[in-house]
């Protein structure tokens, strides 16, 4: 399979090259990436689009395959999405035997993945567009905040970028962003309807987007519905069930939250409770790491979402470094130093020290072609590694006991790949049972605090000559510690040893509604328990959120409210 990162001329060159040596080519790429638009520039072709009325389109396809003059022109069969269309085109080619012309079959998923496809086709992949192309498409959006929102929602998909651009240009309200996302979601669902007829699966897809991953128990509709969702081109399988590829997941979740905020919160709370139950039962460190990763997403914390779960997918793998990776490690660590404003010479000396101790302490993130694009140094904590970590620990070196991992550096230029790298680090910490972090980066310090790590303070020296000293943090991530940690994530008090958080004064009726709602009841049930109308209960909750905001503890969701009840022991008042 060849591929392109959104470079249209390269894709066409790949298609022409594939046609020169093969009779069948499969042009494949995500929904809305622009496959049909690219092939419009391919000369000397006959086109059959199955998005026309399907029986007549299939009839036209069979006529083209049977026509004596057809062999002189390349035949493009577009929109071969969904099992029925794949089976129909495969059957038509089978009936034509070897008499058919050179063929380009356009599909969202590689045809080789579908058991109904019984032919051999060389795959050419179209990847999401580069940032420069999306920027060019949105040049008429002047306001920086709107452009940033558009880039976030588009995720490199031209169809989504153009739809959002048109909505914003027509004055669509972008606050909250779900108003724009809802327009994009309608386009996505309409296009998916060509793969899976009917409407009943759409709500389950919105729920899946909210949960990020879901097994059959979390989704409505039973085994058949689960299998139908799994067949959609934007849905993939992973260790915990089904998941939706980005940016479609973000678009669908934002739209669901905008349309039905209460149902959205209930869906997320139910998924979080279920994952917490599985986490407490898990016996394997890797299973716990996968569940902890999912629960971090389900906290809904804005900082954690932004840094660890951005609206962009990347094909990134991870491996432990070996001696042959020395040059790549040096290059990536130099980029880390310069990006962070560190003295590169100081960074180089530390890199040499770590690599000289054990080069396998470096973990490399690599792209689909195996090229290293990110690096993290994870030293197993013990007597043998104490000397390597000491420059970044100094008076806190006593913490280098008790096992776990020490993170001294992590870097990746691409934001989506960097998020995957940081989540890889956290997973390794969960497997090891403990993670100690020393970082001079203000951004990473903010993230580590947001993740509820304990802050031990700064070291004595400005190791990197960057104007500030590294701060040291730690977190216990063993099986007994995980549930409590994940409950703390995103809470304003954290565990940094600072002053206790300020608790706002709540009126008795506000407290009564808050306790009922935070216990897991719906708004309507909480109102009935308090003996008031739902709109009145909603008003009280709005006042509670405003009071927490006034004391510097933003509280937006049902999970946030439940967290405040636990933190402030309001259920014991």
């Amino acid at each position: 399979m060849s591929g392109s990162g959104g470079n249209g001329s390269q894709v066409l060159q790949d298609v022409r090259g594939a046609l020169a040596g093969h009779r069948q080519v499969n042009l494949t790429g995500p929904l809305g990436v622009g496959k049909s638009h690219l092939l419009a520039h391919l000369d000397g072709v006959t086109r059959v689009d199955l998005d026309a009325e399907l029986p007549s389109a299939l009839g036209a396809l069979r006529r083209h395959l049977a026509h004596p003059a057809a062999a002189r022109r390349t035949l493009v069969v577009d929109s071969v999405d969904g099992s029925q269309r794949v089976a129909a085109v495969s059957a038509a080619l089978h009936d034509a035997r070897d008499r058919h012309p050179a063929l380009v079959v356009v599909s969202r998923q590689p045809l080789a993945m579908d058991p109904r496809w019984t032919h051999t086709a060389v795959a050419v992949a179209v990847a999401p567009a580069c940032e420069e192309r999306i920027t060019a498409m949105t040049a008429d959006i002047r306001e920086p905040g709107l452009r940033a929102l558009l880039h976030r929602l588009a995720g490199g998909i031209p169809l989504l970028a153009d739809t959002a651009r048109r909505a914003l240009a027509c004055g669509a309200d972008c606050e909250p962003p779900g108003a724009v996302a809802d327009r994009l979601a309608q386009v996505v669902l309409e296009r998916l309807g060509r793969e899976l007829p009917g409407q009943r699966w759409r709500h389950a897809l919105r729920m899946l987007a909210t949960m990020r991953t879901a097994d059959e128990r979390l989704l409505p509709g039973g085994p058949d519905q689960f299998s139908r969702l799994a067949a959609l081109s934007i849905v993939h399988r992973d260790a915990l069930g089904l998941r939706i590829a980005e940016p479609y997941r973000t678009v669908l979740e934002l739209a669901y939250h905008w349309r039905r905020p209460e149902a959205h919160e209930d869906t997320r709370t139910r998924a979080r409770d279920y994952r917490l139950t599985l986490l407490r039962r898990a016996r394997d460190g890797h299973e716990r790491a996968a569940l902890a990763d999912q629960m971090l997403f389900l906290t809904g914390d804005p900082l954690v979402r932004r840094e660890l779960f951005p609206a962009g997918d990347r094909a990134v793998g991870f491996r432990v470094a070996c001696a042959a990776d020395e040059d790549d490690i040096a290059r990536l660590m130099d980029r880390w130093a310069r990006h962070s404003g560190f003295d590169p010479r100081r960074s180089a000396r530390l890199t040499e020290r770590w690599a000289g101790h054990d080069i396998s302490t470096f973990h490399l993130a690599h792209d689909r072609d195996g090229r290293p694009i990110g690096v993290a140094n994870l030293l197993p904590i013990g007597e043998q590694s104490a000397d390597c970590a000491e420059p970044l620990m100094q008076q806190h070196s006593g913490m280098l006991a008790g096992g776990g991992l020490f993170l001294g550096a992590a870097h990746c230029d691409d934001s989506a790949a960097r998020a995957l790298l940081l989540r890889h680090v956290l997973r390794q910490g969960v497997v090891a049972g403990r993670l100690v972090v020393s970082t001079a980066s203000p951004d990473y310090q903010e993230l580590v605090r947001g993740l509820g790590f304990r802050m031990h303070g700064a070291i004595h020296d400005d190791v990197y000559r960057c104007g500030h000293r590294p701060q040291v943090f730690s977190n216990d991530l063993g099986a007994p510690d995980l549930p409590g940690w994940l409950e703390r994530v995103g809470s304003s008090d954290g565990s940094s040893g600072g002053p206790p958080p300020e608790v706002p004064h709540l009126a008795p009726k506000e407290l009564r509604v808050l306790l009922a709602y935070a216990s897991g009841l719906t708004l309507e049930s909480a109102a009935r328990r308090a003996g008031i109308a739902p709109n009145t209960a909603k008003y009280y909750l709005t006042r509670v959120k405003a009071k927490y905001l006034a004391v510097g503890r933003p509280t937006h969701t049902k999970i946030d409210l439940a967290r405040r009840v636990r933190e402030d022991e309001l259920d014991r008042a």
Side-chain angles (χ1 to χ4, degrees):
M1 176 185 287
S2 61
S4 169
N7 186 330
S9 60
Q10 182 61 53
V11 172
L12 288 176
Q13 183 177 332
D14 291 343
V15 170
R16 293 186 182 105
L19 286 171
H22 302 83
R23 297 189 64 198
Q24 294 183 27
V25 175
N26 176 207
L27 184 67
T28 181
L31 183 158
V33 80
K35 303 179 293 295
S36 302
H37 176 76
L38 287 172
L39 288 183
H41 301 282
L42 195 63
D43 298 326
V45 301
T46 300
R47 184 182 308 273
V48 175
D49 189 348
L50 298 191
D51 274 345
E53 288 295 325
L54 193 57
S56 60
L58 289 173
L61 171 62
R62 290 183 176 276
R63 288 193 296 274
H64 282 297
L65 292 174
H67 198 282
R72 294 195 293 271
R73 294 176 64 86
T74 298
L75 179 60
V76 172
V77 187
D78 205 348
S79 307
V80 186
D81 300 309
S83 58
Q84 293 181 348
R85 296 185 181 191
V86 171
V89 173
S90 183
L93 290 176
H94 178 76
D95 292 343
R97 302 186 184 276
D98 293 329
R99 297 188 300 273
H100 67 76
L103 193 69
V104 179
V105 183
V106 185
S107 62
R108 294 169 189 162
Q109 292 180 310
L111 293 173
M113 294 175 57
D114 196 315
R116 297 167 185 80
W117 184 260
T118 58
H119 309 275
T120 301
V122 176
V124 175
V126 184
C130 60
E131 285 295 307
E132 290 78 8
R133 182 180 172 193
I134 300 298
T135 299
M137 291 179 64
T138 59
D140 56 337
I141 304 296
R142 302 297 182 186
E143 206 278 310
L146 294 183
R147 285 202 304 272
L149 171 64
L150 193 150
H151 276 258
R152 176 191 173 204
L153 294 180
I157 304 299
L159 173 69
L160 299 183
D162 186 60
T163 303
R165 180 190 64 80
R166 292 172 183 271
L168 293 173
C170 293
D173 190 358
C174 63
E175 188 58 46
V180 175
D182 188 60
R183 302 195 183 200
L184 275 62
Q186 295 310 301
V187 173
V188 170
L189 292 172
E190 178 187 349
R191 296 289 183 101
L192 290 175
R194 302 169 190 174
E195 302 177 28
L196 188 59
Q199 301 281 332
R200 297 181 62 184
W201 53 270
R202 296 189 175 197
H203 179 59
L205 194 68
R206 289 193 292 264
M207 294 180 67
L208 176 58
T210 300
M211 299 174 185
R212 186 171 172 268
T213 64
D215 58 19
E216 190 177 300
R217 180 175 177 179
L218 281 172
L219 292 173
D224 292 341
Q225 182 80 293
F226 189 84
S227 298
R228 283 193 289 270
L229 290 179
L232 290 170
S233 63
I234 67 169
V235 176
H236 306 297
R237 293 173 170 87
D238 72 7
L240 297 180
L242 302 182
R243 65 175 178 85
I244 300 176
E246 294 288 1
Y248 314 102
R249 191 213 62 77
T250 293
V251 166
L252 290 168
E253 185 190 7
L254 284 173
Y256 185 40
H257 181 264
W258 178 73
R259 284 191 170 210
R260 300 186 62 188
E262 295 292 332
H264 173 270
E265 286 192 23
D266 289 344
T267 296
R268 187 152 56 90
T269 300
R270 184 166 63 88
R272 184 173 165 81
D273 290 345
Y274 175 61
R275 295 300 186 194
L276 184 60
T277 300
L278 295 181
L279 180 67
R280 287 176 171 141
R281 296 174 182 170
R283 295 291 179 265
D284 175 75
H286 295 283
E287 182 184 1
R288 287 194 294 271
L291 288 165
D293 180 87
Q294 171 63 4
M295 286 192 65
L296 283 173
F297 172 86
L298 290 170
T299 64
D301 181 78
L303 173 64
V304 174
R305 283 282 189 99
R306 184 181 74 242
E307 296 298 326
L308 299 185
F309 301 94
D313 265 349
R314 293 292 183 272
V316 179
F318 300 95
R319 60 180 175 84
V320 172
C322 62
D325 297 312
E326 285 187 4
D327 290 344
D328 286 319
I329 290 172
R331 171 180 58 83
L332 290 166
M333 290 292 286
D334 182 70
R335 293 178 69 89
W336 166 69
R338 297 181 187 279
H339 173 81
S340 305
F342 299 161
D343 182 342
R345 293 170 298 179
R346 290 263 176 162
S347 171
R349 284 198 290 271
L350 198 56
T351 301
E352 291 171 3
R353 187 172 188 169
W354 289 338
H357 167 71
D358 184 357
I359 200 167
S360 69
T361 62
F362 286 96
H363 291 229
L364 292 174
H366 59 84
D367 62 16
R368 66 172 71 245
D369 296 319
R371 291 187 294 264
I373 59 174
V375 64
N377 183 260
L378 286 166
L379 285 163
I381 293 175
E383 292 183 4
Q384 294 181 338
S385 60
D387 287 344
C388 292
E390 195 278 335
L392 295 180
M393 295 294 292
Q394 295 181 8
Q395 76 269 27
H396 303 289
S397 293
M399 294 173 53
L400 295 176
L405 294 174
F406 170 77
L407 173 67
H411 176 71
C412 186
D413 289 327
D414 180 88
S415 60
R418 180 171 61 252
L420 292 171
L421 176 64
L422 295 176
R423 285 163 51 201
H424 171 77
V425 168
L426 287 170
R427 284 175 180 243
Q428 296 302 306
V430 171
V431 173
R434 182 167 174 252
L435 186 61
V436 177
V437 179
S438 179
T439 175
S441 165
D443 291 339
Y444 282 156
Q445 290 171 4
E446 180 189 14
L447 175 60
V448 174
R449 283 193 296 267
L451 285 170
F453 277 45
R454 181 184 177 191
M455 186 173 72
H456 301 278
I459 66 175
H460 289 312
D461 300 329
D462 179 2
V463 174
Y464 295 112
R465 298 295 184 265
C466 59
H468 45 272
R469 298 168 293 166
Q471 297 276 348
V472 177
F473 304 82
S474 72
N475 199 19
D476 293 326
L477 298 170
D481 310 295
L482 278 178
W485 167 54
L486 291 164
E487 289 291 322
R488 295 197 311 272
V489 171
S491 65
S492 59
D493 62 338
S495 49
S496 61
E502 182 178 350
V503 181
H505 173 72
L506 301 181
K509 291 183 178 180
E510 293 169 349
L511 180 59
R512 189 178 306 122
V513 173
L514 170 61
L515 292 177
Y517 185 62
S519 71
L521 296 180
T522 64
L523 181 66
E524 290 76 10
S525 297
R528 282 197 299 271
R529 176 174 292 186
I532 57 178
N535 283 341
T536 305
K538 185 176 181 180
Y539 170 69
Y540 285 150
L541 290 174
T542 300
R543 284 172 47 175
V544 169
K545 293 177 182 179
K547 288 182 178 182
Y548 271 104
L549 182 62
V551 298
R553 301 172 67 189
T555 303
H556 303 293
T557 68
K558 189 173 188 176
I559 290 178
D560 294 336
L561 290 167
R563 184 182 294 131
R564 300 293 177 249
V565 169
R566 290 191 300 271
E567 291 168 356
D568 301 338
E569 298 184 346
L570 297 177
D571 50 348
R572 301 182 186 178

